[in-house]
């Protein structure tokens, strides 16, 4: 029996790997236009990094992390905390007061595999560290929108909310818990658990019974200071000015403890029940929580697997791989050696070319050239080696072109 890949993972075979590479290159181009620089961090980090940043009672830390047996290291389940760790450890704050970074990398979560959700998955994301300006929030959301539109994705909508500062939420949570305790018997089992460890997450429950109970719950926005409300209104006005369409959803929260103030999600109904395509928000306390000075920051992340699902549903047009320009058919050992040198010269000049390495006959080699969709075929035998001349066959119409000098063949392709 063949050894199979681990559950919840997948292989990127050549055709899909080509598409993935194209997507990543296009993402790098867009993010670079916004002056974001790429950052890469190790595949695993100290476990305490995620416990301190994400929150020990979140689903990610309590259920989903791949932590090694000694409990010291964990395969990274998200990227914001590692980015901030690298920002602090490498003193990136000394390079500029505002650091704009992006990443494209694989992460790991011990989840139940389902459509668009894997145990090893890829994300791209952006982080802007150092600015509390409402224009930074506006840029981050408009960046997310532009990325989707650059890929031809139009079937999405944006939900946005403000969850205030940590201090404002403390006051709100007292009233929310009081309300939910009165309705505890009717809450879903998951919400009963969250009522003890993370009541704010109940606001994002998808359970129909929970949703009905929450219709009469206190609204976080009512507990915010005028400063927080005014800042949120400035963000909404800025989005309006850029013609970015959104819906204010006072029930929207994020599943990670470090979020503050602005939170947002890009939703697509094409994804089914798990319909979040891109999400993020502010995390103005995280840098300080990880040992740095108080530093405002905002970012977002998006799953590439879900991204590709949307692209496939929209029949996104990918460019075709570079065509094989030349296939050399050889006859005998001398011609194989001669072809090897000619291929080396052509490849040095950037020509995509190949030959037979299985000792097949001419007919089989011609079939292989057809299969590989080679643009031209060159047959080399003893006569061609002696004379230094040959015939280049164009496969599309069978036209043959005389080759007077093999050293000039590049200019004939």
């Amino acid at each position: 029996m063949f050894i199979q890949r681990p559950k919840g993972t997948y292989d990127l075979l050549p055709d899909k790997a080509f598409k993935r590479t194209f997507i990543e290159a296009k993402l790098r181009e867009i993010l670079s236009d916004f002056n974001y620089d790429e950052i890469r961090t190790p595949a695993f980090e100290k476990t305490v990094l995620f416990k301190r940043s994400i929150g020990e009672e979140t689903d990610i830390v309590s259920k989903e992390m791949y932590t090694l047996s000694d409990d010291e290291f964990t395969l990274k389940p998200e990227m914001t905390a590692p980015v901030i760790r690298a920002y602090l450890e490498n003193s990136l704050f000394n390079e500029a007061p505002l650091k704009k970074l992006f990443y494209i990398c694989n992460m790991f979560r011990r989840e139940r595999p389902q459509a668009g959700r894997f145990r090893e998955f890829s994300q791209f994301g952006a982080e802007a560290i150092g600015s509390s300006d409402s224009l930074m929030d506006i840029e981050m959301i408009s960046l997310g929108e532009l990325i989707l539109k650059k890929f031809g994705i139009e079937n999405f909508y944006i939900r946005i909310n403000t969850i205030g500062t940590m201090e404002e939420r403390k006051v709100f949570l007292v009233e929310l818990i009081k309300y939910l305790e009165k309705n505890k018997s009717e809450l879903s089992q998951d919400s009963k658990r969250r009522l003890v460890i993370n009541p704010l997450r109940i606001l994002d429950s998808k359970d129909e019974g929970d949703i009905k109970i929450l219709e009469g719950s206190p609204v976080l926005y009512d507990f915010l200071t005028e400063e927080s409300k005014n800042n949120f209104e400035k963000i909404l006005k800025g989005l309006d000015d850029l013609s970015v369409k959104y819906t204010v959803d006072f029930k929207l929260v994020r599943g990670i403890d470090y979020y503050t103030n602005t939170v947002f999600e890009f939703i697509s109904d094409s994804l089914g029940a798990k319909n979040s395509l891109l999400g993020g928000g502010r995390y103005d306390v995280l840098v300080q929580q990880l040992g740095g000075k108080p530093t405002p920051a905002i970012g977002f992340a998006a799953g590439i697997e879900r991204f590709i699902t949307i692209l496939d549903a929209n029949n996104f047009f990918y460019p075709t791989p570079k065509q094989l320009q030349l296939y050399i058919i050889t006859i005998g050992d001398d011609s194989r050696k001669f072809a090897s040198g000619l291929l080396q010269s052509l490849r040095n000049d950037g020509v995509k070319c190949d030959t037979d390495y299985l000792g097949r006959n001419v007919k089989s080699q011609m079939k292989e050239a057809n299969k590989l969709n080679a643009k031209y075929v060159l047959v080399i035998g003893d006569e061609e080696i002696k004379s230094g001349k040959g015939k280049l066959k164009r496969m599309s119409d069978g036209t043959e072109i005389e080759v007077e000098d093999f050293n000039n063949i590049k200019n004939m392709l």
Side-chain angles (χ1 to χ4, degrees), residues 355-378:
T355 190
D356 175 64
Y357 293 97
L358 300 175
R360 290 174 287 189
N361 60 34
V362 172
K363 183 178 180 180
S364 295
Q365 290 182 64
M366 185 62 77
K367 284 184 178 179
E368 182 69 8
N370 268 314
K371 183 179 178 182
L372 294 173
N373 192 32
K375 188 175 182 180
Y376 292 97
V377 161
L378 176 67

Side-chain angles (χ1 to χ4, degrees), residues 8 63 156 190 285 378:
K63 298 179 182 178
F156 67 88
D190 203 29
V285 299
L378 176 67

Side-chain angles (χ1 to χ4, degrees), residues 84-135:
I84 299 302
R85 190 270 309 151
Y87 170 83
L88 292 171
E89 185 172 347
N90 297 282
S91 302
L92 298 185
F93 45 82
N94 288 331
E95 295 183 2
L98 172 62
K99 202 67 182 171
K100 297 165 73 173
L101 304 167
F102 79 88
Y103 57 85
I104 302 172
C105 64
N106 284 12
M107 278 159 275
F108 309 86
R109 293 187 190 178
R110 195 189 301 271
E111 296 187 279
R112 182 172 62 85
Q114 52 189 294
R117 180 166 289 197
F118 299 90
R119 289 178 171 174
E120 181 181 12
F121 59 97
S122 297
Q123 279 189 347
F124 68 88
E127 315 287 354
I129 310 162
S131 173
S132 59
D133 196 321
S134 60
L135 289 174

